[in-house]
Amino acid sequence: MRSTSRVASTLATFLFVSQAPAAEFATDPARTRALIHETSERLGPDAAARATAEWATEYGRHPETAADHMRACLDAVKLANVEVPVPAARTAVTR
C-alpha cells in the first residue's frame, strides 16, 4: 500500500476528471501540469469539491477502468513534481 498526500490526490483527481487518456499525459510532465491547471480553471472556485463529485460519478459509470486510470493519474502527478506553494507563516504585528 502506498501513501499519497492529500495534495497529490487532489491533483490526480483534477487530472482524472480532465477526461484525457493516460497516454496523453503519462510520460509528459508538462502536459500533466497543463491538464491539471486547465481542469482547475474549468471547475472554478470550488474546483476540489466539484472534481471529487465528478470523480465519484465516473467511478460509478466505469468501475472496470476507473482504478487503473486513477493509478495512472497518481503516477503522472508524482512524475510531474508539481509544486504547490505554501504560504509563509504569519508574523505577529506589534504596534
Side-chain angles (χ1 to χ4, degrees):
M1 182 175 171
R2 49 181 155 170
S3 175
T4 304
S5 75
R6 286 181 131 178
V7 172
S9 294
T10 301
L11 296 174
T13 302
F14 287 155
L15 193 55
F16 185 96
V17 302
S18 73
Q19 301 299 320
E24 183 177 335
F25 58 79
T27 59
D28 187 354
R31 185 64 184 141
T32 297
R33 289 188 291 273
L35 284 167
I36 290 169
H37 178 74
E38 291 165 12
T39 303
S40 67
E41 289 291 314
R42 175 178 60 86
L43 295 175
D46 296 327
R50 292 181 69 192
T52 301
E54 283 187 33
W55 171 82
T57 300
E58 287 303 312
Y59 251 88
R61 287 185 185 151
H62 307 286
E64 67 284 353
T65 59
D68 287 338
H69 190 66
M70 188 59 174
R71 196 171 300 112
C73 292
L74 285 165
D75 291 343
V77 166
K78 288 177 184 174
L79 179 67
N81 289 321
V82 178
E83 292 185 22
V84 178
V86 177
R90 289 183 165 189
T91 55
V93 176
T94 57
R95 294 182 189 231

